[in-house]
PDB file of all heavy atoms in Angstrom:
ATOM      1  N   LEU A   6      -8.245   8.007   2.389  1.00 98.00           N
ATOM      2  CA  LEU A   6      -8.414   6.901   3.335  1.00 98.00           C
ATOM      3  C   LEU A   6      -8.274   5.535   2.669  1.00 98.00           C
ATOM      4  O   LEU A   6      -7.953   4.531   3.333  1.00 98.00           O
ATOM      5  CB  LEU A   6      -9.747   6.998   4.027  1.00 98.00           C
ATOM      6  CG  LEU A   6      -9.922   8.213   4.953  1.00 98.00           C
ATOM      7  CD1 LEU A   6     -11.301   8.256   5.561  1.00 98.00           C
ATOM      8  CD2 LEU A   6      -8.874   8.205   6.045  1.00 98.00           C
ATOM      9  N   ALA A   7      -8.431   5.474   1.358  1.00 98.00           N
ATOM     10  CA  ALA A   7      -8.259   4.209   0.654  1.00 98.00           C
ATOM     11  C   ALA A   7      -6.811   3.743   0.674  1.00 98.00           C
ATOM     12  O   ALA A   7      -6.536   2.549   0.499  1.00 98.00           O
ATOM     13  CB  ALA A   7      -8.746   4.332  -0.805  1.00 98.00           C
ATOM     14  N   TYR A   8      -5.880   4.654   0.877  1.00 98.00           N
ATOM     15  CA  TYR A   8      -4.474   4.291   0.962  1.00 98.00           C
ATOM     16  C   TYR A   8      -4.253   3.267   2.120  1.00 98.00           C
ATOM     17  O   TYR A   8      -3.347   2.409   2.025  1.00 98.00           O
ATOM     18  CB  TYR A   8      -3.571   5.480   1.240  1.00 98.00           C
ATOM     19  CG  TYR A   8      -3.262   6.367   0.074  1.00 98.00           C
ATOM     20  CD1 TYR A   8      -3.747   6.092  -1.195  1.00 98.00           C
ATOM     21  CD2 TYR A   8      -2.427   7.455   0.237  1.00 98.00           C
ATOM     22  CE1 TYR A   8      -3.427   6.902  -2.265  1.00 98.00           C
ATOM     23  CE2 TYR A   8      -2.119   8.268  -0.824  1.00 98.00           C
ATOM     24  CZ  TYR A   8      -2.591   7.998  -2.075  1.00 98.00           C
ATOM     25  OH  TYR A   8      -2.256   8.833  -3.132  1.00 98.00           O
ATOM     26  N   ARG A   9      -5.042   3.357   3.150  1.00 98.00           N
ATOM     27  CA  ARG A   9      -4.811   2.513   4.321  1.00 98.00           C
ATOM     28  C   ARG A   9      -5.018   1.010   4.004  1.00 98.00           C
ATOM     29  O   ARG A   9      -4.103   0.228   4.118  1.00 98.00           O
ATOM     30  CB  ARG A   9      -5.618   2.970   5.511  1.00 98.00           C
ATOM     31  CG  ARG A   9      -5.306   4.418   5.925  1.00 98.00           C
ATOM     32  CD  ARG A   9      -5.956   4.869   7.225  1.00 98.00           C
ATOM     33  NE  ARG A   9      -7.396   4.671   7.235  1.00 98.00           N
ATOM     34  CZ  ARG A   9      -8.173   4.995   8.279  1.00 98.00           C
ATOM     35  NH1 ARG A   9      -7.635   5.529   9.373  1.00 98.00           N
ATOM     36  NH2 ARG A   9      -9.465   4.818   8.209  1.00 98.00           N
ATOM     37  N   PRO A  10      -6.243   0.597   3.563  1.00 98.00           N
ATOM     38  CA  PRO A  10      -6.376  -0.825   3.253  1.00 98.00           C
ATOM     39  C   PRO A  10      -5.611  -1.239   2.021  1.00 98.00           C
ATOM     40  O   PRO A  10      -5.070  -2.380   1.998  1.00 98.00           O
ATOM     41  CB  PRO A  10      -7.918  -0.951   3.028  1.00 98.00           C
ATOM     42  CG  PRO A  10      -8.379   0.406   2.668  1.00 98.00           C
ATOM     43  CD  PRO A  10      -7.492   1.352   3.460  1.00 98.00           C
ATOM     44  N   GLN A  11      -5.525  -0.372   1.037  1.00 98.00           N
ATOM     45  CA  GLN A  11      -4.775  -0.759  -0.168  1.00 98.00           C
ATOM     46  C   GLN A  11      -3.273  -0.930   0.143  1.00 98.00           C
ATOM     47  O   GLN A  11      -2.658  -1.886  -0.319  1.00 98.00           O
ATOM     48  CB  GLN A  11      -4.973   0.311  -1.269  1.00 98.00           C
ATOM     49  CG  GLN A  11      -6.375   0.368  -1.837  1.00 98.00           C
ATOM     50  CD  GLN A  11      -6.593   1.578  -2.716  1.00 98.00           C
ATOM     51  OE1 GLN A  11      -5.719   2.430  -2.869  1.00 98.00           O
ATOM     52  NE2 GLN A  11      -7.794   1.690  -3.288  1.00 98.00           N
ATOM     53  N   GLY A  12      -2.751  -0.010   0.921  1.00 98.00           N
ATOM     54  CA  GLY A  12      -1.338  -0.094   1.278  1.00 98.00           C
ATOM     55  C   GLY A  12      -1.014  -1.312   2.112  1.00 98.00           C
ATOM     56  O   GLY A  12      -0.005  -2.016   1.873  1.00 98.00           O
ATOM     57  N   LEU A  13      -1.875  -1.615   3.093  1.00 98.00           N
ATOM     58  CA  LEU A  13      -1.639  -2.812   3.910  1.00 98.00           C
ATOM     59  C   LEU A  13      -1.745  -4.086   3.115  1.00 98.00           C
ATOM     60  O   LEU A  13      -0.992  -5.065   3.359  1.00 98.00           O
ATOM     61  CB  LEU A  13      -2.619  -2.825   5.098  1.00 98.00           C
ATOM     62  CG  LEU A  13      -2.356  -1.757   6.166  1.00 98.00           C
ATOM     63  CD1 LEU A  13      -3.460  -1.807   7.224  1.00 98.00           C
ATOM     64  CD2 LEU A  13      -1.011  -1.949   6.849  1.00 98.00           C
ATOM     65  N   THR A  14      -2.637  -4.117   2.117  1.00 98.00           N
ATOM     66  CA  THR A  14      -2.746  -5.306   1.266  1.00 98.00           C
ATOM     67  C   THR A  14      -1.461  -5.494   0.500  1.00 98.00           C
ATOM     68  O   THR A  14      -0.945  -6.632   0.379  1.00 98.00           O
ATOM     69  CB  THR A  14      -3.926  -5.118   0.293  1.00 98.00           C
ATOM     70  OG1 THR A  14      -5.128  -5.025   1.008  1.00 98.00           O
ATOM     71  CG2 THR A  14      -4.025  -6.278  -0.681  1.00 98.00           C
ATOM     72  N   LEU A  15      -0.903  -4.433  -0.047  1.00 98.00           N
ATOM     73  CA  LEU A  15       0.377  -4.564  -0.752  1.00 98.00           C
ATOM     74  C   LEU A  15       1.504  -4.984   0.179  1.00 98.00           C
ATOM     75  O   LEU A  15       2.308  -5.863  -0.159  1.00 98.00           O
ATOM     76  CB  LEU A  15       0.719  -3.209  -1.403  1.00 98.00           C
ATOM     77  CG  LEU A  15      -0.151  -2.759  -2.580  1.00 98.00           C
ATOM     78  CD1 LEU A  15       0.108  -1.324  -2.967  1.00 98.00           C
ATOM     79  CD2 LEU A  15       0.056  -3.688  -3.784  1.00 98.00           C
ATOM     80  N   LEU A  16       1.545  -4.381   1.351  1.00 98.00           N
ATOM     81  CA  LEU A  16       2.609  -4.767   2.320  1.00 98.00           C
ATOM     82  C   LEU A  16       2.480  -6.242   2.734  1.00 98.00           C
ATOM     83  O   LEU A  16       3.478  -6.924   2.909  1.00 98.00           O
ATOM     84  CB  LEU A  16       2.511  -3.884   3.549  1.00 98.00           C
ATOM     85  CG  LEU A  16       2.969  -2.427   3.351  1.00 98.00           C
ATOM     86  CD1 LEU A  16       2.558  -1.571   4.577  1.00 98.00           C
ATOM     87  CD2 LEU A  16       4.470  -2.338   3.151  1.00 98.00           C
ATOM     88  N   ARG A  17       1.273  -6.714   2.828  1.00 98.00           N
ATOM     89  CA  ARG A  17       0.988  -8.113   3.239  1.00 98.00           C
ATOM     90  C   ARG A  17       1.585  -9.087   2.231  1.00 98.00           C
ATOM     91  O   ARG A  17       1.918 -10.218   2.582  1.00 98.00           O
ATOM     92  CB  ARG A  17      -0.487  -8.309   3.373  1.00 98.00           C
ATOM     93  CG  ARG A  17      -0.909  -9.334   4.434  1.00 98.00           C
ATOM     94  CD  ARG A  17      -2.411  -9.380   4.588  1.00 98.00           C
ATOM     95  NE  ARG A  17      -2.916  -8.162   5.207  1.00 98.00           N
ATOM     96  CZ  ARG A  17      -3.868  -7.372   4.688  1.00 98.00           C
ATOM     97  NH1 ARG A  17      -4.430  -7.672   3.526  1.00 98.00           N
ATOM     98  NH2 ARG A  17      -4.264  -6.315   5.366  1.00 98.00           N
ATOM     99  N   THR A  18       1.680  -8.680   0.985  1.00 97.00           N
ATOM    100  CA  THR A  18       2.235  -9.568  -0.053  1.00 97.00           C
ATOM    101  C   THR A  18       3.717  -9.423  -0.209  1.00 97.00           C
ATOM    102  O   THR A  18       4.325 -10.015  -1.089  1.00 97.00           O
ATOM    103  CB  THR A  18       1.584  -9.277  -1.389  1.00 97.00           C
ATOM    104  OG1 THR A  18       1.874  -7.928  -1.820  1.00 97.00           O
ATOM    105  CG2 THR A  18       0.053  -9.438  -1.337  1.00 97.00           C
ATOM    106  N   GLY A  19       4.364  -8.578   0.657  1.00 97.00           N
ATOM    107  CA  GLY A  19       5.805  -8.456   0.614  1.00 97.00           C
ATOM    108  C   GLY A  19       6.342  -7.358  -0.245  1.00 97.00           C
ATOM    109  O   GLY A  19       7.566  -7.261  -0.457  1.00 97.00           O
ATOM    110  N   VAL A  20       5.466  -6.411  -0.705  1.00 98.00           N
ATOM    111  CA  VAL A  20       5.917  -5.289  -1.516  1.00 98.00           C
ATOM    112  C   VAL A  20       6.714  -4.334  -0.609  1.00 98.00           C
ATOM    113  O   VAL A  20       6.289  -4.050   0.519  1.00 98.00           O
ATOM    114  CB  VAL A  20       4.725  -4.570  -2.154  1.00 98.00           C
ATOM    115  CG1 VAL A  20       5.182  -3.350  -2.938  1.00 98.00           C
ATOM    116  CG2 VAL A  20       3.954  -5.545  -3.062  1.00 98.00           C
ATOM    117  N   ALA A  21       7.832  -3.816  -1.103  1.00 98.00           N
ATOM    118  CA  ALA A  21       8.687  -2.929  -0.355  1.00 98.00           C
ATOM    119  C   ALA A  21       7.960  -1.581  -0.183  1.00 98.00           C
ATOM    120  O   ALA A  21       7.096  -1.171  -0.965  1.00 98.00           O
ATOM    121  CB  ALA A  21      10.000  -2.719  -1.047  1.00 98.00           C
ATOM    122  N   ALA A  22       8.378  -0.851   0.880  1.00 98.00           N
ATOM    123  CA  ALA A  22       7.715   0.396   1.213  1.00 98.00           C
ATOM    124  C   ALA A  22       7.740   1.422   0.025  1.00 98.00           C
ATOM    125  O   ALA A  22       6.728   2.013  -0.288  1.00 98.00           O
ATOM    126  CB  ALA A  22       8.379   1.016   2.434  1.00 98.00           C
ATOM    127  N   ALA A  23       8.878   1.531  -0.615  1.00 98.00           N
ATOM    128  CA  ALA A  23       8.977   2.473  -1.748  1.00 98.00           C
ATOM    129  C   ALA A  23       8.030   2.093  -2.868  1.00 98.00           C
ATOM    130  O   ALA A  23       7.447   2.957  -3.548  1.00 98.00           O
ATOM    131  CB  ALA A  23      10.430   2.555  -2.255  1.00 98.00           C
ATOM    132  N   ASP A  24       7.867   0.816  -3.111  1.00 98.00           N
ATOM    133  CA  ASP A  24       7.001   0.341  -4.169  1.00 98.00           C
ATOM    134  C   ASP A  24       5.555   0.509  -3.801  1.00 98.00           C
ATOM    135  O   ASP A  24       4.680   0.762  -4.652  1.00 98.00           O
ATOM    136  CB  ASP A  24       7.328  -1.094  -4.540  1.00 98.00           C
ATOM    137  CG  ASP A  24       8.706  -1.253  -5.137  1.00 98.00           C
ATOM    138  OD1 ASP A  24       9.166  -0.292  -5.790  1.00 98.00           O
ATOM    139  OD2 ASP A  24       9.319  -2.309  -4.961  1.00 98.00           O
ATOM    140  N   VAL A  25       5.224   0.407  -2.508  1.00 98.00           N
ATOM    141  CA  VAL A  25       3.867   0.647  -2.043  1.00 98.00           C
ATOM    142  C   VAL A  25       3.513   2.120  -2.304  1.00 98.00           C
ATOM    143  O   VAL A  25       2.433   2.446  -2.818  1.00 98.00           O
ATOM    144  CB  VAL A  25       3.689   0.312  -0.560  1.00 98.00           C
ATOM    145  CG1 VAL A  25       2.365   0.817  -0.022  1.00 98.00           C
ATOM    146  CG2 VAL A  25       3.842  -1.170  -0.371  1.00 98.00           C
ATOM    147  N   VAL A  26       4.406   3.008  -1.932  1.00 98.00           N
ATOM    148  CA  VAL A  26       4.186   4.419  -2.155  1.00 98.00           C
ATOM    149  C   VAL A  26       4.008   4.706  -3.641  1.00 98.00           C
ATOM    150  O   VAL A  26       3.071   5.395  -4.056  1.00 98.00           O
ATOM    151  CB  VAL A  26       5.348   5.256  -1.582  1.00 98.00           C
ATOM    152  CG1 VAL A  26       5.271   6.732  -2.079  1.00 98.00           C
ATOM    153  CG2 VAL A  26       5.345   5.218  -0.075  1.00 98.00           C
ATOM    154  N   ALA A  27       4.911   4.167  -4.445  1.00 98.00           N
ATOM    155  CA  ALA A  27       4.821   4.403  -5.902  1.00 98.00           C
ATOM    156  C   ALA A  27       3.501   3.897  -6.472  1.00 98.00           C
ATOM    157  O   ALA A  27       2.878   4.571  -7.302  1.00 98.00           O
ATOM    158  CB  ALA A  27       5.996   3.748  -6.590  1.00 98.00           C
ATOM    159  N   GLY A  28       3.073   2.701  -6.044  1.00 98.00           N
ATOM    160  CA  GLY A  28       1.848   2.140  -6.556  1.00 98.00           C
ATOM    161  C   GLY A  28       0.616   2.912  -6.162  1.00 98.00           C
ATOM    162  O   GLY A  28      -0.312   3.137  -6.982  1.00 98.00           O
ATOM    163  N   LEU A  29       0.551   3.386  -4.912  1.00 98.00           N
ATOM    164  CA  LEU A  29      -0.592   4.091  -4.407  1.00 98.00           C
ATOM    165  C   LEU A  29      -0.763   5.454  -5.139  1.00 98.00           C
ATOM    166  O   LEU A  29      -1.838   5.821  -5.567  1.00 98.00           O
ATOM    167  CB  LEU A  29      -0.499   4.300  -2.923  1.00 98.00           C
ATOM    168  CG  LEU A  29      -0.693   3.059  -2.022  1.00 98.00           C
ATOM    169  CD1 LEU A  29      -0.440   3.382  -0.592  1.00 98.00           C
ATOM    170  CD2 LEU A  29      -2.058   2.419  -2.226  1.00 98.00           C
ATOM    171  N   VAL A  30       0.332   6.161  -5.219  1.00 98.00           N
ATOM    172  CA  VAL A  30       0.220   7.499  -5.807  1.00 98.00           C
ATOM    173  C   VAL A  30       0.054   7.454  -7.320  1.00 98.00           C
ATOM    174  O   VAL A  30      -0.588   8.339  -7.923  1.00 98.00           O
ATOM    175  CB  VAL A  30       1.389   8.411  -5.425  1.00 98.00           C
ATOM    176  CG1 VAL A  30       1.491   8.555  -3.900  1.00 98.00           C
ATOM    177  CG2 VAL A  30       2.735   7.937  -5.970  1.00 98.00           C
TER     178      VAL A  30
END
């Protein structure tokens, strides 16, 4: 469940989807 707020935070700063996935995992 931490992926949800962490991922949205990254997306909010303009990180691309592939990089969000890479960073979370």
Side-chain angles (χ1 to χ4, degrees):
L6 294 177
Y8 280 1
R9 300 189 305 181
Q11 291 170 358
L13 289 175
T14 297
L15 291 169
L16 289 168
R17 210 174 290 125
T18 63
V20 177
D24 294 330
V25 170
V26 168
L29 290 175
V30 301

